[in-house]
Amino acid sequence: MSAEAVRRLAEIHTRIARAEEDADRPEGAVTLVAVSKTFEVDDIRPVLAAGQRVFGENRVQEAQKKWPLLKDEFRDVELHLIGPMQSNKVKDAVALFDVIHTVDREKIARALSEEIEKQGRAPALLVQVNTGAEPQKAGVLPDDTTDFVKRCREEYGLALKGLMCIPPVEDVAAPHFALLQKLADGLELPWLSMGMSADFETAVGFGATHVRVGSAIFGARDYG
């Protein structure tokens, strides 16, 4: 599995570089977040050894079991939280993660503000936008995004870096990426976290700065 994951990693980097070129974007404009959720330390270590340093996890608790050890071994790792966050996990998230993609409600914004001040550690923050207005999915609705970003900045003093979205599975992704790009441009937010294994090349064409790719590197997940 490890050799296969390393081969796939190289292939994804090649495809990102080609997508950057096709979109007339500079080489290296897009950061690959290798999504290691559900995979064990022994699955992740070969990908680290191959030079990948940016990883994404969905759950704070799962990440706490794996990443302190790996961060000791690979000091320049950048760890991203890409899954929804409960308010009782904010303290742990601020302590462990370098980037949090899922700021999605006032309660989380307030808790982040308090923890950042307490810990003196400030992860980069992105607001998750529910571009498909899916009731079961986390994220701020597109029409509410501007007001929410303003409150995060003015009321909670959060230095936001960008926006993130996960388009509905059944939808064509491009319109969602275009919407997120438009919102980010209007809010002068430089980072766009969008695009996963099936559609990251499309996302690069719409200005993605971070693409989140898991199964195309690590293989199919076992959720059992």
Side-chain angles (χ1 to χ4, degrees), residues 67-75 77 79 96 98 121:
W67 282 101
L69 171 68
L70 290 169
K71 277 189 156 194
D72 279 345
E73 288 180 48
F74 301 89
R75 297 286 177 148
V77 160
L79 191 58
L96 180 61
D98 304 293
R121 188 174 194 277

Side-chain angles (χ1 to χ4, degrees), residues 103-105 127-131 134 137-142 164:
V103 182
D104 66 347
R105 58 197 187 278
V127 168
Q128 181 172 352
V129 182
N130 187 350
T131 55
E134 297 174 275
K137 192 175 282 181
V140 182
L141 292 174
M164 180 269 245

Side-chain angles (χ1 to χ4, degrees), residues 54-156:
V54 184
F55 289 82
E57 289 282 343
N58 259 46
R59 291 189 169 90
V60 176
Q61 214 165 342
E62 182 187 341
Q64 284 176 308
K65 294 174 184 173
K66 300 188 287 194
W67 282 101
L69 171 68
L70 290 169
K71 277 189 156 194
D72 279 345
E73 288 180 48
F74 301 89
R75 297 286 177 148
D76 53 347
V77 160
E78 186 178 284
L79 191 58
H80 293 230
L81 178 62
I82 60 170
M85 185 167 41
Q86 298 164 303
S87 56
N88 66 347
K89 295 296 181 188
V90 168
K91 178 181 177 180
D92 294 335
V94 169
L96 180 61
F97 289 91
D98 304 293
V99 183
I100 294 171
H101 292 232
T102 50
V103 182
D104 66 347
R105 58 197 187 278
E106 297 257 353
K107 189 175 183 181
I108 294 295
R110 186 183 304 110
L112 281 166
S113 178
E114 290 168 1
E115 277 305 323
I116 286 166
E117 189 172 348
K118 277 182 200 168
Q119 296 188 31
R121 188 174 194 277
L125 302 175
L126 295 88
V127 168
Q128 181 172 352
V129 182
N130 187 350
T131 55
E134 297 174 275
Q136 81 283 8
K137 192 175 282 181
V140 182
L141 292 174
D143 288 347
D144 298 334
T145 300
T146 297
D147 284 346
F148 181 70
V149 166
K150 186 178 179 183
R151 287 198 301 279
C152 284
R153 286 168 165 164
E154 295 178 3
E155 290 181 35
Y156 304 112

Side-chain angles (χ1 to χ4, degrees), residues 1-10 39 41-50 217-219:
M1 185 273 173
S2 59
E4 184 65 14
V6 170
R7 184 193 67 75
R8 288 172 178 158
L9 174 70
F39 290 96
V41 166
D42 288 344
D43 300 318
I44 299 165
R45 197 177 272 116
V47 178
L48 278 158
I217 296 169
F218 290 101

